[in-house]
Amino acid sequence: ETVALAAEQGLEQEFLENEGKLEIFRRIQKLQSPMKDVMLLRVIGELSFQEIGDILGKSENWARVTFYRGKQVIGRGLKENG
């Protein structure tokens, strides 16, 4: 699980670096809660999905899926405007 977590965090960091941090944070600000909350807790707070789920009263899987969907929304917006 530690290797998987490290790989996942590496992908998230690469996502941020490749897409331009300012633009990504602008797009996160436009998201609706709870997706916005999950994205910020993960990217800025660097919390695990379990921790995010606990904070928001949801499951680890819910946090993971919500984060993944948020990345898709942001990625689509960047491609459309890029």
Side-chain angles (χ1 to χ4, degrees):
E1 183 177 347
T2 303
V3 172
L5 180 60
E8 191 172 282
Q9 288 174 338
L11 287 174
E12 291 165 17
Q13 187 61 36
E14 183 179 334
F15 174 74
L16 283 173
E17 290 170 1
N18 289 342
E19 302 299 339
K21 290 181 183 178
L22 287 177
E23 187 59 27
I24 288 174
F25 285 116
R26 283 186 192 104
R27 293 185 182 280
I28 288 173
Q29 283 302 113
K30 293 179 183 177
L31 295 173
Q32 298 294 313
S33 290
M35 186 178 287
K36 176 181 176 180
D37 301 331
V38 171
M39 297 296 289
L40 291 173
L41 289 169
R42 183 68 176 175
V43 175
I44 295 173
E46 299 180 356
L47 299 179
S48 71
F49 291 115
Q50 180 65 55
E51 292 168 324
I52 294 168
D54 289 346
I55 289 169
L56 298 177
K58 303 284 186 176
S59 70
E60 176 182 359
N61 190 57
W62 173 88
R64 187 179 305 276
V65 169
T66 303
F67 182 80
Y68 176 77
R69 289 178 180 161
K71 285 199 308 187
Q72 288 182 313
V73 169
I74 290 169
R76 277 194 305 268
L78 291 172
K79 287 178 184 173
E80 290 171 3
N81 294 324

